Amino acid sequence: KKQFKKNTLIQFINKIKLIAHALHSQMEQDDGRREGEWTVADRVCLVTGANAGIGYHTALRLAALGAHVICGK
């Protein structure tokens, strides 16, 4: 049971890292947006664990923001 919780936490942290990396990449671009302003529109996002829980809701939100979402199980 502890191993399951540890794996779930690791998956959650990895998803947060993925989102943070995408946001950081957006902020580095010089496309006329103000500093700190970002978007995931027309970006490809890979979401692991998208069949349920946090991954599912992350995929839904990214899609709602205009991202092209690839869902992994």
Side-chain angles (χ1 to χ4, degrees):
K1 192 170 185 176
K2 286 183 180 181
Q3 184 65 28
F4 174 76
K5 287 183 180 180
K6 182 180 178 183
N7 288 339
T8 302
L9 180 60
I10 290 170
Q11 289 174 349
F12 175 73
I13 291 169
N14 287 336
K15 288 173 188 172
I16 296 298
K17 286 180 183 179
L18 175 68
I19 293 168
H21 183 334
L23 297 178
H24 181 71
S25 296
Q26 286 290 324
M27 291 174 70
E28 288 183 344
Q29 288 186 343
D30 182 22
D31 61 0
R33 287 180 278 164
R34 292 179 290 166
E35 185 177 342
E37 193 175 330
W38 57 271
T39 181
V40 292
D42 296 323
R43 291 288 185 143
V44 176
C45 298
L46 172 64
V47 180
T48 58
N51 59 324
I54 294 169
Y56 174 76
H57 291 284
T58 300
L60 285 178
R61 183 67 179 140
L62 288 169
L65 292 171
H68 301 280
V69 182
I70 299 172
C71 299
K73 189 164 107 168

